[in-house]
Amino acid sequence: MQRILIVLALAVLLLPAPHMGKPETVTAGALLVTARALPLSSIDPTLDHVGALAYLGGWELKSANPGFGGLSSLLVSPAGDMLGLSDSGILMGFHIGPGEGEGHPFIAPLPIRAQDRHRPWWAWDSESMTRDPVSGRYWVGFELQQAICRYAPGFARVEACRTWPEILAWPKTGSVELLARLPDGRFLAIGEMGMTPDGRHDSLLFAGDPAERDTPAPIHLRYTPPRGYRPTDAVALDARHLLVLNRRLTMEQLFTATIAIVDLPEKLAPGMDLKARTLARLAPPLLADNFEGIAVSQEGGRPIIWIVSDDNHEFFQRTLLLKFGMTEGK
């Protein structure tokens, strides 16, 4: 009965409506985060790999700040600084691992344009985030508002926002769940609930900045996740590979996740299928929760994969940060 109640509670949290666990207001300031190291498996503390990935570390993150948590997307700097964004429009910067990092731990709400200040707090359902490492600009995808916004370096201000009819056709929740910038400057948005007639996930490839008015209409692609899963975040591994984080909620295992890779063809044409190939699956007794954010960094020329979970600001969920290295060729 307890498991049934938990599943029902989690299902309610994923419905297209704000839930009261989200913080209504957050004051910008310093952020203290504690990290408790965790083994990959609850029954085998020595297990150091899953699928094609090596387990390099995992932590349960906590903070006394009521705004901490609810992380839906993640970026990692070359110095190992983490930048998380919650589904309430709240930025969180912190550092995990050796060294001090280059930034200062902080928490702050996203900047808002004057014309948007009338919107209620729960309308800032920010689900995806990506960055241009050259210009330092950021892009955020919003559900409910169905918009993609561009921010100045350091999130100093909102530079532009655009709502596309192709995104408006997706459900208001489960829409811009994934937003990835490819190395050549194109952007890929994947709808979590926006489906094509054949049951795949509608995906939009933008030739340029999706927040700019003069960017041409995107072409439609299709994303095929591992069977039974839905995508929650994506990041470009390189010019020819996309990493996609996928989740599933079942009565038997609650949340499980897969880290998958998509081989991108040299030319992406309308209607092309982006088929995911599973690298690793996270299910009990391995660490498992509502994983929603994925990021890539480099250590010694080796790609490092990070994933983070959204605790929905609920006592029965956790904010988990996991670190993996690839153990075999893509």
Side-chain angles (χ1 to χ4, degrees), residues 34-35 265 314:
T34 61
E314 296 293 346

Side-chain angles (χ1 to χ4, degrees), residues 249-322:
L249 176 62
T250 65
M251 188 79 72
E252 180 183 1
Q253 294 184 312
L254 300 182
F255 279 114
T256 61
T258 64
I259 300 171
I261 191 167
V262 173
D263 299 318
L264 298 175
E266 186 173 352
K267 183 178 181 180
L268 288 166
M272 190 169 285
D273 186 22
L274 306 177
K275 189 168 184 178
R277 172 165 50 91
T278 297
L279 295 176
R281 180 174 180 268
L282 296 169
L286 305 186
L287 291 169
D289 211 301
N290 181 29
F291 286 109
E292 287 206 16
I294 188 169
V296 171
S297 64
Q298 297 283 330
E299 291 184 8
R302 177 191 187 191
I304 302 297
I305 301 171
W306 303 81
I307 63 173
V308 71
S309 67
D310 174 4
D311 68 349
N312 289 303
H313 297 282
E314 296 293 346
F315 70 92
F316 52 84
Q317 290 184 264
R318 297 184 292 177
T319 299
L320 300 180
L321 177 69
L322 308 187

